[in-house]
Amino acid sequence: MKLGAHLSTAGGLHTSFARGEELGCTAIQIFLSSPRQWRGRELSEEDVAKFRAGWRASACEACFAHDIYLTRLGSRDRTIRSKSRAALVQALQACALLGLDGLVVHPAGDPGAARPAGVIDRVARSLDAVLDAAGEAGPPILLETTAGQGSDVGHRFEQLGRIIEKTRRADRLGVCLDTCHVFAAGYEISTREGYEGTLEAFDREVGLDRLKALHLNDSRRPLGSRVDRHTHIGEGEIGEAAFARILQDPRLAGLPKLIETPKEGDMDKVNLARLRRLAAAA
């Protein structure tokens, strides 16, 4: 099972693997640079060599990067849109150098936009521009399901499907499904019937073949709240039974599964232990 966490890269990108080893991770996710700055770090040959050596020496089977928080590919503001595209091109090129498996990106909205259709069009055009500029090397962009806060798009599966449908570069796009986000968006994954309905809706609107990774996070807020607040596995509104269902689902067996739960004390270790227990439960 490819299971792990979003990890710190303090001291260098390669240090994430040592942290992952301490937690028993077989998959990890990292930021390539500060998520609150437009300009990413320039990778030296030494940076890349250390990262690849650290990966080879670890038990990690899959490694993903998460995009910065500032990206607004669907913004009407040309300056913001241009900065977003440039930052994403740089991130994709860094992912290619490091050999990562995917770059997770929020298809964020455009505050004040009257219609989501316009935002979706701009996101699709931006993705085409980014992938054209970044070149053919590198991993897929994984559009992450959102909670639907504010003007964000991507909280409905049909919106993600529409973005992919409208791009010329659908071959380089996948999806990362976040359990907290889809629950907050109104998909009832906490019951067996609701979970099956959610997967059916995803397959119909996007296609299960597009699903490349999962973020496993419980939700502090109730179903349909459209508020993105992660909490520890089994301590929120989703509950342990739902995570057991996901972990034991053969349709999702090969997918990397990553926690982004609050970094409190040794809770990464606790959350991963809970997930391993749920995966093994009869």
Side-chain angles (χ1 to χ4, degrees), residues 230-259:
H230 298 186
T231 194
H232 304 297
I233 302 300
E235 296 183 16
E237 298 288 330
I238 298 174
E240 283 196 355
F243 292 101
R245 203 170 291 123
I246 291 167
L247 290 161
Q248 296 174 25
D249 190 335
R251 294 167 293 186
L252 310 179
L255 295 178
K257 300 172 180 70
L258 302 150
I259 60 169

Side-chain angles (χ1 to χ4, degrees), residues 73 88-89 92 101-106 126-128 130-131 134 138-144 170-176 210 212:
L73 295 176
L88 199 52
V89 168
L92 265 180
D101 295 291
L103 174 60
V104 178
V105 176
H106 290 169
S126 290
L127 288 169
D128 284 340
V130 166
L131 288 164
I141 291 175
L142 305 186
L143 301 174
E144 183 176 350
D171 59 309
R172 294 286 301 279
L173 299 176
V175 172
C176 174
R210 293 269 181 199
K212 304 301 181 184

Side-chain angles (χ1 to χ4, degrees), residues 18-281:
R19 294 183 177 95
E21 288 294 288
E22 291 178 3
L23 295 169
C25 292
T26 49
I28 67 170
Q29 179 179 271
I30 60 173
F31 287 124
L32 298 172
S33 59
S34 169
R36 294 179 173 83
Q37 295 180 359
W38 283 113
R39 185 66 182 171
R41 71 177 77 177
E42 296 290 343
L43 297 180
S44 67
E45 290 184 5
E46 182 181 9
D47 291 331
V48 174
K50 284 183 175 179
F51 184 88
R52 288 180 171 270
W55 193 348
R56 285 194 301 272
S58 76
C60 182
E61 297 180 49
C63 182
F64 298 86
H66 196 294
D67 189 30
I68 61 175
Y69 296 143
L70 304 176
T71 300
R72 294 291 183 273
L73 295 176
S75 177
R76 288 167 296 168
D77 185 316
R78 292 185 179 181
T79 300
I80 297 297
R81 197 163 67 242
S82 177
K83 286 184 175 182
S84 298
R85 291 178 178 186
L88 199 52
V89 168
Q90 183 183 28
L92 265 180
Q93 291 172 337
C95 286
L97 288 173
L98 298 172
L100 302 191
D101 295 291
L103 174 60
V104 178
V105 176
H106 290 169
D110 179 18
R115 297 182 305 111
V119 181
I120 287 169
D121 287 345
R122 289 190 291 275
V123 170
R125 290 197 300 270
S126 290
L127 288 169
D128 284 340
V130 166
L131 288 164
D132 287 346
E136 293 305 313
I141 291 175
L142 305 186
L143 301 174
E144 183 176 350
T145 55
T146 68
Q149 291 194 154
S151 64
D152 279 359
V153 297
H155 62 288
R156 304 306 302 170
F157 298 152
E158 55 267 29
Q159 292 177 342
L160 293 174
R162 188 64 174 152
I163 290 169
I164 294 168
E165 181 183 280
K166 293 179 78 66
T167 64
R168 293 181 286 99
R169 306 303 307 273
D171 59 309
R172 294 286 301 279
L173 299 176
V175 172
C176 174
L177 188 149
D178 186 301
T179 54
C180 172
H181 296 176
V182 298
F183 184 77
Y187 291 99
E188 173 58 291
I189 60 170
S190 63
T191 67
R192 182 176 297 279
E193 181 180 6
Y195 171 74
E196 289 299 331
T198 299
L199 280 195
E200 288 172 11
F202 185 92
D203 194 30
R204 180 175 64 251
E205 300 293 344
V206 180
L208 280 173
D209 59 317
R210 293 269 181 199
L211 187 56
K212 304 301 181 184
L214 294 165
H215 286 167
L216 300 185
N217 303 303
D218 213 325
S219 176
R220 289 186 186 177
R221 297 299 181 89
L223 175 69
S225 64
R226 293 182 65 169
V227 177
D228 178 8
R229 293 292 184 274
H230 298 186
T231 194
H232 304 297
I233 302 300
E235 296 183 16
E237 298 288 330
I238 298 174
E240 283 196 355
F243 292 101
R245 203 170 291 123
I246 291 167
L247 290 161
Q248 296 174 25
D249 190 335
R251 294 167 293 186
L252 310 179
L255 295 178
K257 300 172 180 70
L258 302 150
I259 60 169
E260 298 174 318
T261 44
K263 300 292 186 182
E264 299 166 344
D266 64 349
M267 286 305 296
D268 273 355
K269 182 180 292 186
V270 172
N271 282 308
L272 290 171
R274 287 175 182 171
L275 290 172
R276 292 186 187 105
R277 171 176 57 79
L278 294 171

